[in-house]
Amino acid sequence: MTAGLPVLICRPGERAAALTAAIEAAGFPVVNLDAMALEALPETPAMRQAWLDFDHFHKVVVVSPFAAERLCQALDRYWPQLPLGTAWYAVGAATAEALHEHLGVRVHLPPAAAGEDTSEALLELASLRSLEGQRVLLAAGEGGRALLADTLAARGARVTRLALYRRRLQPPPAALQECLARGRYRALVVSSGELLEHLARWCTRATLNQPLIVSSRRLATLADDLGFRTPVVAPGATPAALAGAVAAACDQEDADVDQDDLEKG
């Protein structure tokens, strides 16, 4: 029986609290695997020049809430009053919320018709299709995918990509490594391909048979490649979207168990 077992999450930083609260509100205990830490990078000459030239950028694209936080902190120092005319874009709703809360700006998000918050979906926006002669600031973390920068440049933009923080992968505590290996949890929630590949080293057949909640079809494809039985794609990476997918997946698992019990009787 899985009743009483936790849902495992691996969201780094302060955002873990919101996801934990949403899943607990759905009726499931939560444990954070603590498999990644976010570290702010010190200001470089390239960063400083970008902040000084901020009014030269036509568009600003922000890939994550932590990138938004770092960007807002810099703009507070360099631009007490934001320049007018900048178009703001965010890959996900949480990033857009952070920008709006700190800066009061209107933020463009991936179109609702895309059904998910991803870089691919953001690039479907009409206002990002033709960028000849435009300067675009891309606020992101160190490393990561090159899709946004490469595609924006291919569409004519002069892209300045700033790495504002780094992601540091770390092994989960030994007890949680054992939980993963034995499948002793209700569901596993992952919204990063880097994290999913990192956690795969502790996965066994028992792990692969447990519900896995991911935030995009791209991650579901990666999960399939890694051997997960039935990844569930949440309609986004927000706490509400992920918690809803957890509840649906766990309810389905419980129904399967109940049916098995009936057949045994």
Side-chain angles (χ1 to χ4, degrees), residues 59-256:
K59 291 177 167 59
V60 178
V61 180
V62 187
V63 305
S64 71
F66 197 56
E69 179 183 321
R70 299 291 299 146
L71 173 64
C72 294
Q73 289 172 353
L75 293 179
D76 281 345
R77 296 196 307 274
Y78 286 90
W79 291 88
Q81 184 170 346
L82 288 178
L84 299 176
T86 307
W88 295 82
Y89 296 81
V91 171
T95 303
E97 183 179 343
L99 291 170
H100 181 71
E101 178 181 345
H102 290 291
L103 302 178
V105 296
R106 176 176 176 267
V107 184
H108 300 276
L109 281 165
E116 59 184 14
D117 290 341
T118 61
S119 298
E120 289 87 347
L122 185 69
L123 289 167
E124 292 180 14
L125 289 174
S127 57
L128 291 179
R129 289 177 186 164
S130 181
L131 300 169
E132 198 66 40
Q134 296 196 37
R135 293 189 63 181
V136 177
L137 177 66
L138 178 57
E142 192 175 68
R145 305 170 70 204
L147 176 71
L148 275 173
D150 290 350
T151 304
L152 295 172
R155 294 176 179 179
R158 292 171 55 196
V159 180
T160 298
R161 187 189 190 283
L162 292 184
L164 303 181
Y165 65 96
R166 68 165 55 97
R167 295 173 292 270
R168 180 170 53 81
L169 296 172
Q170 54 199 21
L176 295 181
Q177 292 179 29
E178 184 179 1
C179 283
L180 269 178
R182 296 179 60 191
R184 296 286 297 164
Y185 57 88
R186 291 295 297 266
L188 172 63
V189 181
V190 183
S191 55
S192 154
E194 186 179 17
L195 267 171
L196 187 56
E197 291 181 318
H198 174 59
L199 295 175
R201 71 188 64 188
W202 294 285
C203 292
T204 66
R205 181 177 296 180
T207 315
L208 301 177
N209 284 332
Q210 288 295 89
L212 171 69
I213 315 302
V214 296
S215 55
S216 70
R217 291 184 292 271
R218 180 181 65 86
L219 284 181
T221 299
L222 174 60
D224 283 333
D225 292 341
L226 292 171
F228 284 90
R229 181 171 60 93
T230 50
V232 176
V233 181
T238 64
L242 292 169
V246 166
C250 290
D251 286 347
Q252 180 61 46
E253 287 289 309
D254 291 344
D256 291 344

